[in-house]
Amino acid sequence: MPASRSWLELARVYVIAREYLGPAEHARGRELDCEAWITALLARYSREEYLQVLAALNHATTSDALTAIYQERFLSRLAPDAAQHLRTALAGGVDGRQRWFLARQIVLRTMRLILVSPRPEADSVQAEIATAVAQLDLECASVLLVHLVGDTLTRERTPGEPLLGGSPQSLAMEMIANNLFNEPDDAGDLLARHRLLWILHGDRIVGARARPVSMLEEATGLAFDDITALAFAYYSSIASHTPDNPVVVNALTGIAVDPEVIERFLDRFAVRPDDLAARLRDCPLPWQLLPIQDRPLLRLGDSVVVLDERYLLERATQGLYWLVHDHEKIQYGEKARLQWTQAYAAMVEDRVKEQLRRLAPPLVGGSASTFFTEDELALAFPKTKAADVGIDFGTSTVLVEIVSATVSVATRERADADAFRKDAEKIVVKKARQLSVTAHNLLTDPQPAHSPLTGPAKKVFPVAVRGGHFPVNPITRHYLEECFADERLFQHSGIQDLALLDTEELEACEALHQNLHLTLPDLLADWQASEYSKASFRSFLTLRFGGHNIGRPDDIEAALHETTDMIASRLGFREDSTG
């Protein structure tokens, strides 16, 4: 997302039915009736048949190569005139913008349609459309349903609506919801990070009611390793799926885990079709997918279908916090819930501080440290706000605030602008106030006696590191900059733009420091001087280092090896060393 181009120019545009089926219908003397086509398709195949193919199509959205296979198969089986119109649309013939064949959001919304819609009566299907649909095999019918559902997803735009981040509010919130929905995470990093978080950092904290992994087992009836191993077993089944192979897997066979443990896992992470349908009925809005996010496995007897692999991996890593959160509130009350929230925040803070210590430059022969804490800042600058961490790099200083919070369901699923503003205040603006005060303090000349710096800072990089989700894009950057200007935050030429990083991006900084000896301020300065300064740091790193593998920091690499060894042993894929 370079500054020279708009964000919308770089967004993918997905094909919808009217762009190719509409002209084909018009040539036959009919106007496209999406609802009539949907009704005819729903009558053609059963719910279970559609869901299995849709799960395969959803997996294909993770790979352009797989999507291309389904695209060519659909084109070869579609009526010749409709296929030609589709080729034209895909090539950009509608409005000059290339179209993409499948979108994950629309596939998941099609699953909802399949589940909540009653099977139509035969006499409710228009005869001409029924004849056309009768020629479609299950895969073609599923793809066409996806494109028809894409036609139904709209967001109302009202004249004179307020701006958010420099864009009309409805458009801004649609792009924010899109950003959150499509935010990428590396599977290996997720597994390794949360193993470190729950086991290493969880065992270090004080103040929790019990060990975090023990609280998780109490909440779920499952050990941490059992959740990881079983989630990975089902995740790998869909991640390796190819067209023409069954997407359904037996949930109980081929896995050397006690069937009772598997059943407990499925009771928490899987859902039967009727139950999922009941949950999805109250989710009419385009981004409302929480029931699938909560239980991404569809149970069919002793078999399961992975409806969404990203949601499955997220549920078994980032989502573990919420399992304990809800259990504590229900079983022990609001005080216990708050205690757990504070304990988890301490886990995240311990994790981030450890990473930052490794990024701090060593001092040769000195007793002082280049790494300093909130307590040291408070001693030097009493009665003012202080950042969580600071690092003195000599020519520059990095200040860091750590936040474990994530955006609300209202922002993510309802694209609610007021909810986003509240989230931005809690996750970013509140932390920016502390960073701004601390930065100005460190820039004063002279520095007080107890200052962690020997003299005033030359240049300050304020950084907010978050353990949860927050959308970083040109719209949200614009909004935050307006907030900072209104409160006169960071009003000093020596203070650089606030950098918003998540824990995976901080790990990338570690890996680059470890492998290429790049410092944190060097990376931040390069990012902020680039034309991608308003995009996420992840986007900048991808473009800056191209196809080069950034790698993983040593502790993540070690935790990933430990995780994969545990999974192999737990699932029975590796013989015991004594046997």
Side-chain angles (χ1 to χ4, degrees), residues 391-402:
I391 306 175
D392 180 9
F393 285 89
T395 57
S396 60
T397 302
V398 173
L399 292 175
V400 181
E401 270 290 302
I402 306 163

Side-chain angles (χ1 to χ4, degrees), residues 5-16:
R5 299 174 66 184
S6 75
W7 195 24
L8 287 175
E9 284 183 290
L10 293 171
R12 284 188 171 185
V13 181
Y14 295 92
V15 72
I16 55 177

Side-chain angles (χ1 to χ4, degrees), residues 64-85:
D64 288 348
L66 270 180
T67 298
I69 293 172
Y70 283 107
Q71 176 177 308
E72 288 308 309
R73 286 156 64 120
F74 185 67
L75 285 165
S76 68
R77 300 169 189 175
L78 200 59
D81 60 336
Q84 184 53 49
H85 289 302

Side-chain angles (χ1 to χ4, degrees), residues 54-68 70 102 241 309:
L54 289 170
L57 293 176
N58 193 37
H59 167 61
T61 65
T62 66
S63 163
D64 288 348
L66 270 180
T67 298
Y70 283 107
L102 292 172
H241 180 266
E309 60 212 76

Side-chain angles (χ1 to χ4, degrees), residues 155-178:
R155 183 175 179 87
E156 184 178 356
R157 194 165 173 180
T158 57
E161 63 180 291
L163 298 181
L164 194 158
S167 298
Q169 184 170 276
S170 61
L171 174 62
M173 288 311 303
E174 187 69 12
M175 300 306 286
I176 286 169
N178 190 311

Side-chain angles (χ1 to χ4, degrees), residues 370-373 376-377 388-392 397 399 442 452-453:
T370 58
F371 179 96
F372 49 93
T373 66
E376 293 170 272
L377 287 165
D388 290 328
V389 168
I391 306 175
D392 180 9
T397 302
L399 292 175
L442 291 178
L453 303 181

Side-chain angles (χ1 to χ4, degrees), residues 474-551:
I475 290 172
T476 58
R477 290 291 325 193
H478 188 132
Y479 173 75
L480 292 170
E481 286 163 6
E482 290 177 335
C483 293
F484 302 157
D486 287 345
E487 297 193 27
R488 299 190 59 78
L489 303 180
F490 308 120
Q491 298 292 306
H492 190 291
S493 60
I495 305 176
Q496 310 308 296
D497 290 342
L498 174 65
L500 301 175
L501 305 184
D502 62 23
T503 48
E504 185 170 321
E505 290 167 332
L506 188 59
E507 287 160 8
C509 293
E510 276 195 272
L512 289 166
H513 176 63
Q514 178 181 294
N515 300 328
L516 299 179
H517 309 294
L518 297 174
T519 70
L520 184 55
D522 286 343
L523 289 166
L524 296 176
D526 284 351
W527 173 30
Q528 294 178 353
S530 77
E531 60 177 343
Y532 296 92
S533 60
K534 303 305 180 185
S536 70
F537 188 56
R538 178 186 280 105
S539 299
F540 165 74
L541 290 177
T542 301
L543 294 158
R544 167 72 170 78
F545 294 97
H548 299 291
N549 181 16
I550 292 174

Side-chain angles (χ1 to χ4, degrees), residues 60-136:
T61 65
T62 66
S63 163
D64 288 348
L66 270 180
T67 298
I69 293 172
Y70 283 107
Q71 176 177 308
E72 288 308 309
R73 286 156 64 120
F74 185 67
L75 285 165
S76 68
R77 300 169 189 175
L78 200 59
D81 60 336
Q84 184 53 49
H85 289 302
L86 177 54
R87 288 190 178 91
T88 299
L90 290 168
V94 175
D95 56 10
R97 298 290 305 277
Q98 178 185 358
R99 296 295 194 265
W100 293 85
F101 188 63
L102 292 172
R104 174 178 171 233
Q105 177 207 13
I106 304 176
V107 175
L108 290 173
R109 295 303 298 179
T110 307
M111 291 181 186
R112 177 191 179 272
L113 172 77
I114 294 295
L115 283 160
V116 304
S117 301
R119 188 173 179 84
E121 299 293 336
D123 59 4
S124 66
V125 180
Q126 294 183 20
E128 299 91 342
I129 298 177
T131 300
V133 165
Q135 310 303 313
L136 299 177

